Amino acid sequence: MGAFPENSEIHVSRLIKLWVAEGFFKPISGKSLEEAAEMYLKDLVDRNLIFVHQQESKGDVKSCGIHDLMRELCVRKAHESGDIIVSSDFCTQIAEGIGHIGNKVPSVLKGNATTGQLTLQSLSTIAISQLTVRVLRTIPNLRKLGIFCDKEVDHLTLRDCGILDPDMNRIGSLPNLEILKLQGCKFESRKWEADEGDFCQLQFLLMEKLNLVNWAADGTNFPRLEHLVIRHCSGLKEIPLAMAEVPTLKVIEVHECSPSVVDSTRMIQEEQLELGNEELEVRFEVAGEEEKSGDMAYNLESLEQIIEQFLQPDHGQPLWILDPDKKPQIESLLQKVCFFKDLLENPYSVVTSARLRNLESRIRDIAYNAEDVLESHLVDQLLSSTQGEGFIFSPPDLEKVIQDFDSANEEMMSTMEESQMHLTYRLMGQQSELEVIPIVGMGGIGKTTLARNLYKDRLVCFHFGVRAWATISQDYNVQKILLGLLHLATRGPINQMLEMGIGELGERLYKTLVGRRYLIVLDDIWDVKFWKDIRRFFPDNNNGSRIIITTRNSMVANYIGSGSSHHEMSRLKVDESWNLIHRNVFAPGETCSRGLESVGIKIAENCRGLPLTINVIGGILSQAERTQVFWDQVAEDVSTIIADTDEQFFNMMLSLSYKYLPYHLKPCLLYMGAFPEDSEIHVSRLIKLWVAEGFLKPISGKSLEEAAEIYLKALVDRNLIFVHQQEPKGDVKSCSIHDLMRDLCVRKAHEENFLFVKRRYIPGDIRLRRVCAHSIQDIDRSLKQMPLARSFLFTGAGSREILSSPLISALKLVRVLDILEIRFRQFPKEILQLVNLRYLALSTSKLPSSISGLWNLQILIVQAIASSSGPHVVMPELLDMTQLRHIKFKGMYVWIDDKYRKHFDFVVQDQLQSLYTIAISQLTDRVLRTIPNLRKLGIFCDKEVDHVRDLSYLHKLHTLKYTSSVLCGGNLLSNLIFPPSLKKLTLRDCGILSPDMNRIGSLPNLEILKLQGCKFESRKWEADEGEFCQLQFLLMEKLNLVNWAADDTNFPRLEHLVIRHCSGLEEIPLAMAEVPTLKVIEVHECSPSVVDSARMIRKNNLNLGMKNLKFVLAFR
């Protein structure tokens, strides 16, 4: 922008053409270079670096300007970087009409009628007589055209025309007309009466210098009008009041018209408000633009384009062939250019903006040098070669350029934030031996956050082939920790490992890590015994592998990281504390008033620089009214906290968060104390427990489960609970709570006689209401205190099978009994006496039919123990329990005995929302009609079915899991009719025909599809046009697929693609590169050709201007 004169009006059409020629950017998928340039321009306008001078009627920028101070910055920066030298005494006169074809069209467009003017996009102006079919065929990509008369197009401008009434009727009937400009036109009758339904698509209307007096319209006209401009229409009496009924109308501009036109505009505005439409913006003068300045960052697009042109020449007949010996060096240079470009464009980079400027300058100079070397050598070879003959292009040695980029990489390592600088360098440094890096500090100071930032950093992800995370805590289970590490390291299922012992699991982990550069994070270690138990399972591959540990105990850090310095956490400064509060409370770009800011800084000062307390206080402020009175109250409460130790301070600050928590959320938060420290809590289980406990108030139009999700989000937004895992669509799959916050929950719950976490014995004569135990040894203690208990939860890990327990007999009034982790060899008959039960979860071998006597039961969860197998016979009375909301059988499925099925009429269970898993042979139309409100369903194919199972009865069903027995032959999906409401579909071990995938692909709302262990009959999958139009997540695991074909009309909204153990698959369709929403592709243990196709998609994705795609590649 510094190339244009000061205070000049810059025509966007010219600016965009210059940008295109300069090669400043890449095209974006489905868009031309010019359209990409328009997006770049909009970005600069949105950042207030360029201001709009004039706009087109539809809102596009027609001309722009730049503030003179900003222009001076551009000139200065451009001069420093050598981009542009602006000289006042060196001018070049350019002929104005060089790009205007006009009456020269016949000679200019004449020539090769076959190839034509394929790149021509704008032509102004041409007479209609010149627009023959032959000419039109030569300009297929034309976007802008000026002619002397109107055509049936979406944009029509009439200047100085005489208009009869029929003319406006014909124009009003144009089906695609969106923009109409009437300038200086003369209406013969001086009136305009729109016919019914006229201008049905019109969005913008300009009326300028017209002789109109009367303008009449009704509610059927202009139904999509957004912007109305009336200028210099001095004779017009008023705007039709029917405009108030146009719901899309956003702006009316009136310039130099009669007072009556202004009055009618105000009446329309008032009437729109009364009708409940959005407030109409009325402009009687054009407001100025406010200019702001900002920093500029150099990009490497130009060099990247030059290198890619050498690798893949885009001219028809290659003028040159790249020397094969130089290709690896060119590819290495391209990889480094892409690396730095990604770094500079990454808003979450660990490189600070203050220190980035020097790095940018260094990289810019290296890039310019590379451009000069490459292009100079190419030009020399082009000029020295015989015209029309090709040659082998052999660029000079680029080792110096590559070394310069490597040197800049080392410089970058020294420009990172202080809190991460040293750690990142140690993670990615030259030391080849396995190193343990301890992070030490008090609870709540941010150890886990720092470790997670390092773990997720894009540079770190790029550096390590394997990453895995485990949270240890005080009461750890080595077996579970090893299983978790194996799951992350292999990215595969661990079901077959559940029965393995510690030694076997450790050996499996060791073999998985051997030979690979890995990063392991062990969070929250309390003592050295854990390290002694697990150390031998981490091999030293002498390849730069690293282990990060976090701990509060310096002695633990010294022992585990012996010979290695540990990172001591420091507190946040006041300005950093305030910035953290600001991010919690205000949206990006949103400002805080000076009054609130002064109070907020006082609050930040009193938080002692501890991130956990700052986040909790930020959570309080973010969910309350932003008033001075409330902020002053919080500031006073914080300032009055007096504590001798940081631990006391934490407790008092967290208690403050509980004080400000709304009444309806308090029991939900206290309930989190029932789960073990640092545990991952599955949201599906948590929500069912909240529902059964009766914590939730119904919300209009929502189920109790949906209300529970709203409660959970409120606790997450307040930073009291944090998200552990998310579903592919972004819903919370599992959550956790900080151990200090959990301590508060346990303490408060005890004080309020809400919940007791059993630790062998609870002193005092107290009647417990809710009890939680974490070990089997604690179960049968203090039974005399439990006859009035309403809830009992066992949240530890069962270590053995037991016959029964006296505990159950003591819980006569219990509503919630969650003992899933305890394995009962036989179903405890004492449970049948617990008639008050709402929630029952247990592991056993058999479920008696008499369980139907628990008339109040809402949630039933049964896990089959190892000794049970095959179908589980359930009497039909189970389907007569009208209060049931959720039925979930794990390791077994529902099968109703034939001798009972015919003699009972099933009761409609309108409360039932989820049913896992029922045999398909039992899923008759009769049964389907009794569960009309089912939302989630699991089906097990126990035998072949010869007639259709119509699931369209279940009009609310959004989640379906279908598993086929290996004993079932044939294709069973063909006899299954899917409901259109389906959003998530999982198919396991199914036979699939091509028509099955076509039916699935046509489901209008399907967002998640998981194919696991399925057999495609033809071993190929060819998606039809337009299929999977809403799909966002696709998992393909252990499939027999060989060929997978798709085009750019399939999967237009796909975000996440996972392919695991598909050894026969040849490649991923390259059309995936054109999916603009695609963010992640994971490839695990597939053929090299699949990996190559994934890399090709990544490359094509970058060529199309999409930079957000992330790859996860895993091999054995």
Side-chain angles (χ1 to χ4, degrees):
M1 301 299 291
F4 298 94
E6 187 175 322
N7 295 325
S8 62
E9 180 180 355
I10 306 164
H11 288 279
V12 167
S13 59
R14 178 188 181 191
L15 180 64
I16 285 178
K17 293 180 178 72
L18 287 168
W19 282 355
V20 169
E22 291 282 4
F24 288 159
F25 43 77
K26 291 183 178 179
I28 297 171
S29 176
K31 297 184 182 297
S32 66
L33 289 172
E34 287 76 10
E35 289 171 323
E38 290 173 358
M39 296 177 66
Y40 279 46
L41 178 67
K42 183 180 182 301
D43 194 10
L44 291 172
V45 170
D46 290 344
R47 296 171 188 268
N48 297 316
L49 302 176
I50 294 176
F51 62 86
V52 177
H53 201 286
Q54 291 188 57
Q55 282 185 302
E56 299 283 0
S57 48
K58 282 187 68 177
D60 297 332
V61 183
K62 184 176 183 180
S63 63
C64 62
I66 186 170
H67 194 278
D68 51 0
L69 294 177
M70 176 60 73
R71 178 186 174 276
E72 289 175 9
L73 172 67
C74 293
V75 172
R76 186 171 66 254
K77 286 288 185 183
H79 189 277
E80 291 172 1
S81 64
D83 280 348
I84 299 176
I85 304 298
V86 180
S87 175
S88 58
D89 58 358
F90 181 76
C91 300
T92 303
Q93 299 296 327
I94 301 176
E96 281 288 326
I98 197 167
H100 177 80
I101 295 177
N103 58 8
K104 299 180 183 178
V105 167
S107 60
V108 173
L109 294 183
K110 201 186 317 182
N112 191 329
T114 304
T115 59
Q117 299 288 336
L118 297 178
T119 60
L120 191 63
Q121 297 195 30
S122 64
L123 174 59
S124 174
T125 303
I126 182 172
I128 189 67
S129 58
Q130 303 298 316
L131 281 179
T132 62
V133 173
R134 181 169 179 259
V135 169
L136 288 170
R137 284 174 180 162
T138 66
I139 49 175
N141 297 317
L142 201 67
R143 294 173 180 269
K144 296 181 180 179
L145 176 65
I147 56 177
F148 292 132
C149 65
D150 60 292
K151 278 287 189 181
E152 196 166 296
V153 291
D154 60 358
H155 185 154
L156 177 61
T157 300
L158 300 180
R159 291 194 181 112
D160 303 320
C161 300
I163 297 179
L164 304 177
D165 291 341
D167 297 330
M168 292 307 296
N169 297 143
R170 285 191 302 113
I171 294 169
S173 64
L174 291 173
N176 300 310
L177 187 65
E178 296 177 351
I179 298 174
L180 175 61
K181 298 180 181 179
L182 305 174
Q183 297 172 293
C185 298
K186 305 297 181 183
F187 284 73
E188 185 184 48
S189 62
R190 303 196 68 179
K191 66 180 180 181
W192 175 14
E193 295 181 0
D195 281 356
E196 183 177 355
D198 276 358
F199 302 98
C200 60
Q201 297 295 331
L202 198 70
Q203 298 175 24
F204 177 90
L205 173 60
L206 167 65
M207 301 164 60
E208 185 175 13
K209 295 182 179 179
L210 307 182
N211 69 334
L212 270 181
V213 174
N214 297 312
W215 177 23
D218 60 29
T220 69
N221 309 130
F222 311 102
R224 290 180 172 81
L225 189 66
E226 297 180 5
H227 197 147
L228 170 63
V229 183
I230 305 176
R231 295 182 186 143
H232 309 286
C233 295
S234 56
L236 186 64
K237 291 182 178 180
E238 66 177 10
I239 303 174
L241 297 182
M243 287 294 176
E245 302 174 24
V246 178
T248 55
L249 192 59
K250 298 175 182 176
V251 181
I252 298 180
E253 295 184 36
V254 177
H255 304 274
E256 298 187 32
C257 294
S258 66
S260 60
V261 171
V262 174
D263 291 341
S264 64
T265 302
R266 291 193 171 115
M267 290 177 65
I268 291 170
Q269 186 180 30
E270 293 172 2
E271 192 167 339
Q272 272 222 340
L273 287 173
E274 292 178 4
L275 291 171
N277 295 338
E278 292 184 8
E279 184 173 355
L280 177 66
E281 180 183 353
V282 174
R283 302 174 186 168
F284 296 108
E285 60 183 23
V286 180
E289 297 288 336
E290 180 182 355
E291 302 88 13
K292 296 181 181 178
S293 64
D295 292 327
M296 301 178 66
Y298 180 79
N299 69 66
L300 295 152
E301 293 285 358
S302 179
L303 177 57
E304 185 181 5
Q305 289 185 47
I306 291 170
I307 297 173
E308 289 184 337
Q309 186 180 30
F310 290 147
L311 291 171
Q312 296 180 338
D314 57 3
H315 37 75
Q317 286 294 108
L319 298 177
W320 69 80
I321 298 173
L322 181 64
D323 186 347
D325 294 336
K326 295 297 180 71
K327 187 174 181 181
Q329 202 174 51
I330 290 283
E331 290 176 336
S332 174
L333 179 59
L334 177 62
Q335 182 182 23
K336 295 180 187 300
V337 169
C338 292
F339 171 81
F340 276 102
K341 186 163 68 73
D342 184 58
L343 171 72
L344 296 176
E345 292 175 348
N346 175 19
Y348 305 104
S349 173
V350 294
V351 182
T352 64
S353 59
R355 295 170 176 174
L356 187 59
R357 287 189 287 270
N358 292 332
L359 181 61
E360 283 186 1
S361 176
R362 175 84 182 278
I363 296 172
R364 179 201 64 216
D365 293 342
I366 298 170
Y368 278 163
N369 181 46
E371 282 189 12
D372 294 343
V373 169
L374 289 170
E375 291 194 312
S376 298
H377 199 74
L378 176 63
V379 169
D380 289 344
Q381 286 197 247
L382 281 170
L383 294 177
S384 62
S385 64
T386 305
Q387 186 174 5
E389 292 185 4
F391 60 89
I392 295 177
F393 174 56
S394 180
D397 187 25
L398 299 173
E399 191 60 36
K400 175 64 167 59
V401 175
I402 293 173
Q403 288 176 358
D404 288 342
F405 273 116
D406 290 338
S407 175
N409 185 22
E410 293 178 6
E411 181 180 338
M412 174 202 66
M413 296 298 296
S414 66
T415 63
M416 295 181 178
E417 296 284 8
E418 293 299 329
S419 61
Q420 298 186 31
M421 173 181 64
H422 185 56
L423 293 177
T424 307
Y425 183 79
R426 287 172 67 182
L427 285 175
M428 301 170 59
Q430 299 301 314
Q431 179 177 325
S432 58
E433 295 85 0
L434 175 65
E435 183 181 5
V436 178
I437 303 175
I439 301 176
V440 187
M442 61 178 294
I445 201 169
K447 301 183 300 296
T448 301
T449 301
L450 175 58
R452 194 166 292 282
N453 287 342
L454 291 165
Y455 182 77
K456 291 186 174 181
D457 185 89
R458 294 168 78 172
L459 301 178
V460 173
C461 295
F462 182 81
H463 186 73
F464 292 98
V466 179
R467 294 177 305 124
W469 179 293
T471 301
I472 314 306
S473 73
Q474 295 184 71
D475 300 321
Y476 62 86
N477 182 306
V478 175
Q479 183 183 23
K480 284 190 173 182
I481 291 169
L482 290 173
L483 281 169
L485 291 173
L486 273 167
H487 175 64
L488 292 171
T490 62
R491 297 285 176 178
I494 57 172
N495 296 336
Q496 70 277 13
M497 306 180 198
L498 294 178
E499 300 300 323
M500 291 183 182
I502 292 175
E504 195 174 358
L505 288 171
E507 184 180 355
R508 180 74 65 93
L509 177 63
Y510 186 93
K511 291 180 178 179
T512 300
L513 298 178
V514 163
R516 305 169 74 179
R517 183 191 292 160
Y518 62 83
L519 171 63
I520 303 292
V521 179
L522 303 174
D523 185 36
D524 197 21
I525 298 179
W526 284 74
D527 59 53
V528 298
K529 183 180 182 300
F530 166 77
W531 181 249
K532 293 177 180 178
D533 291 339
I534 204 170
R535 168 65 186 92
R536 65 186 186 277
F537 303 135
F538 301 120
D540 185 353
N541 299 319
N542 201 32
N543 61 358
S545 294
R546 300 288 184 265
I547 298 174
I548 295 175
I549 70 162
T550 71
T551 181
R552 303 181 190 185
N553 193 325
S554 295
M555 294 180 63
V556 171
N558 290 331
Y559 178 86
I560 297 176
S562 58
S564 177
S565 61
H566 58 251
H567 180 84
E568 193 78 38
M569 295 294 298
S570 58
R571 300 169 189 261
L572 298 179
K573 299 174 183 177
V574 174
D575 60 333
E576 294 172 327
S577 300
W578 164 240
N579 289 335
L580 186 53
I581 291 176
H582 191 281
R583 286 201 301 270
N584 273 297
V585 178
F586 299 97
E590 189 177 4
T591 57
C592 173
S593 68
R594 290 185 178 180
L596 291 183
E597 183 174 356
S598 63
V599 181
I601 292 174
K602 291 179 183 177
I603 295 173
E605 288 175 350
N606 290 318
C607 285
R608 297 192 180 185
L610 301 171
L612 178 60
T613 61
I614 295 167
N615 277 318
V616 169
I617 294 299
I620 293 172
L621 298 175
S622 70
Q623 301 301 311
E625 294 183 9
R626 298 174 191 171
T627 63
Q628 190 83 22
V629 173
F630 182 78
W631 281 46
D632 284 338
Q633 179 62 51
V634 174
E636 182 180 352
D637 288 341
V638 173
S639 64
T640 55
I641 292 177
I642 301 174
D644 295 329
T645 66
D646 285 324
E647 185 176 353
Q648 291 175 345
F649 178 75
F650 264 125
N651 291 334
M652 297 176 75
M653 287 290 283
L654 297 179
S655 296
L656 187 63
S657 69
Y658 182 74
K659 168 188 171 182
Y660 281 104
L661 195 63
Y663 175 78
H664 66 281
L665 294 178
K666 287 186 176 181
C668 296
L669 178 64
L670 294 184
Y671 209 75
M672 303 298 290
F675 299 94
E677 185 178 316
D678 293 322
S679 61
E680 180 180 357
I681 305 163
H682 290 278
V683 167
S684 60
R685 177 188 184 188
L686 181 64
I687 284 179
K688 290 181 178 72
L689 286 167
W690 283 355
V691 169
E693 292 282 5
F695 294 158
L696 310 164
K697 292 182 179 180
I699 298 175
S700 177
K702 296 186 180 295
S703 66
L704 289 175
E705 288 75 10
E706 291 170 325
E709 291 174 357
I710 294 173
Y711 282 34
L712 178 67
K713 183 180 184 302
L715 291 172
V716 170
D717 290 343
R718 285 171 167 80
N719 296 319
L720 302 176
I721 292 175
F722 61 88
V723 176
H724 200 284
Q725 288 190 62
Q726 287 184 300
E727 297 282 1
K729 277 190 64 185
D731 297 331
V732 183
K733 183 177 183 179
S734 63
C735 62
S736 298
I737 186 169
H738 195 281
D739 49 3
L740 293 176
M741 179 60 71
R742 178 185 175 274
D743 291 344
L744 169 73
C745 293
V746 172
R747 187 174 64 255
K748 286 286 185 184
H750 188 281
E751 292 171 2
E752 299 178 11
N753 194 19
F754 176 83
L755 170 73
F756 292 85
V757 178
K758 291 192 70 175
R759 291 286 183 179
R760 301 301 175 100
Y761 178 72
I762 301 171
D765 185 16
I766 188 170
R767 298 298 181 180
L768 308 181
R769 304 293 293 183
R770 295 182 182 86
V771 183
C772 174
H774 295 159
S775 68
I776 288 182
Q777 291 77 11
D778 294 338
I779 289 180
D780 297 331
R781 309 249 179 186
S782 307
L783 295 181
K784 294 180 180 180
Q785 296 174 313
M786 300 177 63
L788 300 180
R790 297 304 196 275
S791 303
F792 182 86
L793 290 82
F794 180 77
T795 53
S799 58
R800 63 179 186 274
E801 293 182 6
I802 63 176
L803 289 172
S804 187
S805 169
L807 166 74
I808 298 175
S809 300
L811 299 171
K812 293 183 179 180
L813 300 179
V814 72
R815 297 173 187 155
V816 173
L817 182 60
D818 190 335
I819 48 176
L820 189 67
E821 299 298 330
I822 303 173
R823 295 178 292 176
F824 291 92
R825 296 175 187 171
Q826 297 178 352
F827 182 85
K829 295 181 179 179
E830 297 86 351
I831 288 179
L832 301 176
Q833 305 301 314
L834 307 180
V835 295
N836 207 30
L837 266 182
R838 299 178 187 170
Y839 180 109
L840 174 61
L842 81 163
S843 298
T844 188
S845 59
K846 188 176 182 181
L847 192 67
S849 60
S850 51
I851 196 172
S852 60
L854 302 177
W855 63 275
N856 205 29
L857 198 64
Q858 298 178 9
I859 293 128
L860 175 62
I861 302 171
V862 182
Q863 169 74 59
I865 62 175
S867 58
S868 65
S869 61
H872 194 90
V873 179
V874 177
M875 299 303 179
E877 290 91 345
L878 179 67
L879 297 181
D880 291 341
M881 299 171 69
T882 57
Q883 296 301 311
L884 277 173
R885 302 178 69 87
H886 304 280
I887 301 174
K888 186 170 187 178
F889 290 134
K890 300 179 179 181
M892 59 175 68
Y893 55 89
V894 177
W895 189 86
I896 303 171
D897 196 329
D898 283 334
K899 65 182 178 181
Y900 293 99
R901 184 169 47 184
K902 298 177 182 179
H903 305 293
F904 289 86
D905 291 326
F906 298 146
V907 177
V908 174
Q909 291 184 304
D910 55 4
Q911 298 292 318
L912 194 62
Q913 296 188 37
S914 65
L915 172 58
Y916 293 109
T917 300
I918 186 170
I920 195 169
S921 59
Q922 311 300 303
L923 206 60
T924 62
D925 290 348
R926 183 181 174 207
V927 171
L928 287 169
R929 290 191 183 98
T930 66
I931 48 176
N933 296 319
L934 204 68
R935 296 169 180 264
K936 298 180 179 181
L937 174 64
I939 300 175
F940 181 79
C941 183
D942 58 327
K943 65 177 184 179
E944 294 185 35
V945 290
D946 54 5
H947 61 281
V948 171
R949 294 293 191 267
D950 188 357
L951 301 185
S952 61
Y953 288 115
L954 309 177
H955 61 282
K956 293 184 179 180
L957 190 71
H958 60 71
T959 300
L960 175 63
K961 293 183 180 179
Y962 185 93
T963 304
S964 179
S965 168
V966 292
L967 301 176
C968 291
N971 176 63
L972 304 170
L973 288 179
S974 300
N975 288 324
L976 203 62
I977 297 177
F978 300 108
S981 57
L982 208 58
K983 293 184 177 182
K984 180 177 179 179
L985 175 61
T986 300
L987 301 178
R988 291 182 182 146
D989 303 320
C990 299
I992 298 178
L993 303 177
S994 296
D996 298 330
M997 292 307 296
N998 297 141
R999 287 191 302 116
I1000 294 169
S1002 64
L1003 290 172
N1005 298 300
L1006 189 65
E1007 297 173 346
I1008 298 172
L1009 175 60
K1010 298 181 180 181
L1011 306 173
Q1012 298 172 293
C1014 297
K1015 305 295 182 185
F1016 285 71
E1017 187 185 46
S1018 61
R1019 303 197 70 180
K1020 65 180 180 180
W1021 175 15
E1022 295 181 2
D1024 281 355
E1025 182 176 355
E1027 286 184 350
F1028 302 97
C1029 59
Q1030 297 295 330
L1031 200 69
Q1032 298 174 24
F1033 178 90
L1034 174 60
L1035 167 65
M1036 302 164 60
E1037 184 174 14
K1038 294 183 179 178
L1039 307 182
N1040 71 332
L1041 269 182
V1042 175
N1043 299 310
W1044 177 23
D1047 60 31
D1048 56 1
T1049 70
N1050 310 128
F1051 313 101
R1053 290 177 173 83
L1054 190 66
E1055 297 179 5
H1056 197 148
L1057 171 63
V1058 182
I1059 305 177
R1060 294 183 186 141
H1061 309 285
C1062 295
S1063 56
L1065 186 64
E1066 292 181 349
E1067 66 175 10
I1068 305 171
L1070 297 184
M1072 287 293 176
E1074 301 177 27
V1075 178
T1077 55
L1078 193 59
K1079 297 176 182 176
V1080 181
I1081 296 180
E1082 296 184 36
V1083 177
H1084 304 275
E1085 299 187 29
C1086 295
S1087 66
S1089 61
V1090 170
V1091 176
D1092 291 341
S1093 65
R1095 289 183 173 135
M1096 181 63 71
I1097 289 170
R1098 169 64 171 164
K1099 182 178 180 181
N1100 294 345
N1101 195 268
L1102 289 171
N1103 290 339
L1104 292 171
M1106 295 179 282
K1107 307 163 188 172
N1108 296 324
L1109 185 57
K1110 172 186 174 185
F1111 281 94
V1112 179
L1113 302 177
F1115 312 92
R1116 281 197 181 275

